[in-house]
């Protein structure tokens, strides 16, 4: 059995569609899926997880990183806040507002619901803690939140390439699937072996034919020589 394969992800990043495919293709592998805080992304990749879905910015020194997608940034506010009257929201509109922050997004949104201020989150995090007394509006001129797949350049789990293929939509029968690639390589080797055997047999047949021809010619020469001597 292969060693356990651990994948980490932050709040708001949904990875179930990929982990389900992985489990279907590798039922013999223990897949561990763990939540991590944004502040712990780098330390998680330095030992706790084989791969991680991460939000930028991130210190990528010593990491492989594949950008995946971007998502909108939203302003989360009480549903009766004056900003809800705006058609569009821009960074300048937040200048006089109390901006709430904190590692615990759910706790921050509870404070928003209590009217203590507003908060800014990636859209998926706001959706994760949706409530009737809170509204989320897109912040039009904010830089989007970028999500990527990352893993260490050091000790790489043998199933990293397989999981990358799944995330990229590679089918189980893709030639870049490690098992399929190994099977195709074996087929190519077998085909090359048979081709070499056919070529060897052809050369041997040609050699036998040439030898028989030379023998026949030698016999004819000897016969003519005997008739000439008589």
């Amino acid at each position: 059995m292969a060693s356990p394969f651990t994948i980490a992800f932050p709040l708001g990043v949904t990875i179930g569609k990929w982990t389900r495919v992985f489990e279907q293709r590798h039922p013999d592998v223990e897949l561990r899926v763990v939540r991590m805080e944004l502040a712990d992304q780098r330390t998680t990749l330095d030992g706790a997880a084989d791969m991680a879905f991460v939000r930028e910015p991130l210190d990528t020194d010593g990491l492989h990183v594949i950008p995946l997608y971007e998502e909108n940034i939203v302003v989360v506010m009480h549903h009766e806040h004056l900003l809800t009257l705006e058609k569009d929201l821009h960074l300048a509109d937040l200048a006089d507002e109390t901006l709430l922050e904190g590692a615990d997004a759910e706790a921050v949104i509870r404070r928003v619901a209590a009217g203590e201020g507003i908060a800014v989150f990636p859209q998926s995090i706001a959706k994760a803690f949706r409530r009737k007394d809170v509204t989320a509006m897109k912040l039009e001129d904010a830089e989007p939140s970028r999500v990527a797949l990352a893993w260490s350049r050091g000790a790489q789990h043998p199933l990293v390439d397989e999981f990358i293929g799944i995330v990229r939509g590679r089918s189980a029968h893709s030639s870049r699937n490690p098992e399929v690639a190994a099977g195709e390589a074996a087929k190519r080797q077998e085909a090359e072996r048979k081709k070499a055997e056919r070529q060897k047999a052809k050369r041997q047949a040609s050699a036998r034919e040439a030898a028989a021809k030379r023998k026949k010619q030698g016999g004819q020469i000897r016969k003519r020589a005997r008739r000439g001597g008589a």
Side-chain angles (χ1 to χ4, degrees):
M1 176 180 287
S3 59
F5 187 51
T6 303
I7 299 173
F9 68 100
L11 178 65
V13 178
T14 304
I15 67 173
K17 62 181 179 181
W18 296 310
T19 57
R20 283 193 295 272
V21 173
F22 181 90
E23 288 174 324
Q24 290 168 0
R25 294 186 189 176
H26 299 279
D28 58 328
V29 176
E30 180 186 352
L31 178 63
R32 299 173 180 172
V33 180
V34 297
R35 262 275 308 278
M36 66 180 175
E37 299 299 330
L38 289 179
D40 299 330
Q41 290 186 139
R42 185 57 210 244
T43 55
T44 299
L45 281 165
D46 285 339
D50 298 299
M51 302 188 82
F53 290 83
V54 296
R55 288 189 186 277
E56 298 179 359
L58 174 71
D59 174 14
T60 59
D61 184 40
L63 298 178
H64 291 289
V65 179
I66 299 177
L68 296 179
Y69 63 89
E70 298 179 346
E71 64 174 303
N72 294 329
I73 298 298
V74 298
V75 179
V76 178
M77 67 201 99
H78 189 276
H79 70 111
E80 293 182 346
H81 196 286
L82 287 177
L83 287 178
T84 60
L85 301 177
E86 299 290 337
K87 182 179 179 180
D88 297 309
L89 287 182
H90 297 83
L91 289 167
D93 297 322
L94 312 185
D96 298 326
E97 300 295 332
T98 300
L99 186 63
L100 305 176
E101 298 178 312
D104 187 341
E106 186 174 14
V108 171
I109 292 178
R110 283 199 298 268
R111 292 177 62 194
V112 169
E116 295 181 27
I118 64 172
V120 175
F121 290 112
Q123 189 171 28
S124 61
I125 294 180
K127 285 183 177 180
F129 299 113
R130 185 182 300 155
R131 27 187 310 160
K132 294 180 179 179
D133 51 0
V134 166
T135 295
M137 292 179 61
K138 179 182 176 182
L139 191 53
E140 299 292 338
D141 53 352
E143 282 291 315
S145 175
R146 296 179 175 86
V147 176
L149 184 61
W151 68 100
S152 173
R153 291 180 179 271
Q156 180 173 308
H157 194 286
L159 287 170
V160 162
D161 287 339
E162 167 69 357
F163 193 75
I164 292 170
I166 290 172
V167 173
R168 286 179 164 173
R170 199 178 300 153
S171 71
H173 302 292
S174 167
S175 61
R176 296 191 67 183
N177 179 296
E179 294 180 2
V180 174
E184 291 186 352
K187 289 179 181 178
R188 286 194 298 271
Q189 291 175 354
E190 179 65 12
E192 290 171 359
R193 183 186 66 79
K194 290 182 177 179
K195 181 180 179 181
E197 288 180 350
R198 288 194 299 269
Q199 291 174 338
K200 181 180 179 181
K202 186 176 180 180
R203 288 194 301 269
Q204 290 175 339
S206 297
R208 287 194 298 270
E209 184 180 347
K213 186 176 182 180
R214 289 194 298 270
K215 183 177 181 181
K216 182 178 180 181
Q217 289 174 341
Q220 291 173 342
I221 291 171
R222 284 193 294 273
K223 284 181 181 180
R224 286 197 296 270
R226 285 195 297 269
R227 284 198 297 269

